[in-house]
Amino acid sequence: MKILHTADWHIGKKLDNFSRLDEQRLVLEEICEIAEREQVDAIVVAGDLFDNFNPSSEATELLYSTLHRLSANGTRAVIAIAGNHDSPERIQVPDALAKVCGILFVGFPNTEVKPFCTQGQVDIVKTAPGFIEIKLPNAPFPLRVLHTPYANEQRLKTFLGVEESEEALRLHLQQHWQTLADQYLDDKGFNLLATHLFVMQKGGPMPEEPDDERPILHIGGAQAIYTENFPKQVHYIALGHLHRFHQVDKVPAPAVYSSSPLAYSFSEANQNKYVILIEAEAGKLVGYKPIELLKGKKLRRKSFHSIDDAIEWLGAHQDDLIELTIISDNYLEASDKKRLMEAHSGIIQIIPQIKKSEVADTSSEVDLSLSMEKLFQEYFKSKNKGQEPSEGLMEVFREVLGSEAE
């Protein structure tokens, strides 16, 4: 059996005001091509299908068309769970039509998918809240999936009965997973757990989260789910939420973040992105390997002291999206910013950074007999570690003075 693990598509996400939808079309097509080339039996999308609760019609169409292609007309199982960016209600809306193609949408922590069979012989043979067992047309043993979408405090109270405490979420999920594992998981099938949570080793280093994901740290008051909370019967743990590919732990099974298919913030600059190909036999994981995704633009951030050096570097990275830091003695002139923007159409942000100065602070001594222009210069120097205001800024100040005089 072959399974493809992917996550954090964030369809519809923008980088500032820069749309990534065209890139998402390309990279999702690449994921479909990988699934077809590797002849996978099932696909797991571990949350954050959309980037917000109210996706555009273009984002919605892209999700459904991609999942339909991945399903191969009902001959492959596709399991897609909700993440913290998804509306669980919206995720489950197309459920009846999706089932015809073998697409299983799981929006809530206690969702139970009723048994059914597609014309392509993807057969859902056993179900319970948080569990499905699937007989696949080309596999001699079943795929068992424990599924847990993202759950905020309200969902935990409503659907799981969890109280707000540091350990409540961990203990509940551990008991929930263990109960299902004891009842449904044995070595006659391949056992996979799919979830969208912040997972780490107990006592281990805290993984870094992308800029847009940090609020998930406090799900239900708990800092994280520990790998020791997962049941020993599972053979692979498919994680979503963190956008960097990495294996969190090997015990009780490989717990793996597949990564997002694109870099979505400059904290992810220069990261490679992957999907994970899992090879399984009844009762064991044969192995898994990351397959690098090559479509979409790279995000790059770099600092320069020279505008000319920055322009030369920009010329070598015309296909990328850029965050530049310009370090100088004075504030960035409008003419220099114009040169940079004309050199590259994919500059998302230019950050001016003033060099530190050892000039003494004289702000406590103010000579009120000085002219307004000189007073402004002295004030500026006192607030910027002795740096002189640029001529461009002084021209603006003079214009303001002139308009006030009028």
Side-chain angles (χ1 to χ4, degrees), residues 340-398:
L340 292 169
M341 298 302 291
E342 289 175 346
H344 197 294
S345 61
I347 296 177
I348 303 299
Q349 190 170 18
I350 299 175
I351 304 171
Q353 182 177 319
I354 305 298
K355 292 179 183 176
K356 291 183 178 180
S357 172
E358 301 301 324
V359 176
D361 183 4
T362 59
S363 59
S364 60
E365 300 175 6
V366 180
D367 185 353
L368 296 179
S369 66
L370 297 175
S371 67
M372 288 291 290
E373 185 172 320
K374 189 63 178 176
L375 282 171
F376 174 75
Q377 288 175 322
E378 293 300 318
Y379 172 79
F380 186 93
K381 287 164 65 176
S382 73
K383 295 298 183 182
N384 294 280
K385 297 180 169 51
Q387 300 302 313
E388 295 281 352
S390 68
E391 183 55 34
L393 181 60
M394 291 306 301
E395 288 179 5
V396 172
F397 181 75
R398 293 181 192 114

Side-chain angles (χ1 to χ4, degrees), residues 329-343:
D329 293 325
N330 298 298
Y331 278 96
L332 187 65
E333 297 282 358
S335 58
D336 287 333
K337 184 175 182 180
K338 182 180 179 183
R339 287 178 64 201
L340 292 169
M341 298 302 291
E342 289 175 346

Side-chain angles (χ1 to χ4, degrees), residues 312-330:
E312 182 179 355
W313 180 82
L314 288 170
H317 299 89
Q318 285 293 316
D319 294 330
D320 303 329
L321 300 177
I322 306 297
E323 179 188 273
L324 281 181
T325 299
I326 303 298
I327 305 168
S328 61
D329 293 325
N330 298 298

Side-chain angles (χ1 to χ4, degrees), residues 1-4 28-44 65-80 98-104 116-124 134-139 143 277:
M1 183 188 294
K2 288 185 177 181
I3 305 163
L4 201 65
L28 292 178
E29 181 179 9
E30 184 179 11
I31 291 173
C32 291
E33 290 170 353
I34 292 169
E36 292 159 2
R37 182 181 72 236
E38 297 293 340
Q39 297 182 316
V40 302
D41 300 287
I43 295 96
V44 174
S65 62
T66 300
L67 295 181
H68 180 259
R69 180 174 171 182
L70 286 172
S71 74
N73 295 316
T75 60
R76 291 195 199 104
V78 179
I79 302 100
K99 283 180 180 178
V100 175
C101 299
I103 301 169
L104 310 180
F116 67 92
C117 184
T118 71
Q119 290 184 344
Q121 298 305 304
V122 171
D123 193 1
I124 310 302
I134 311 170
K135 186 179 183 301
L136 298 163
N138 298 312
L143 169 64
L277 181 64

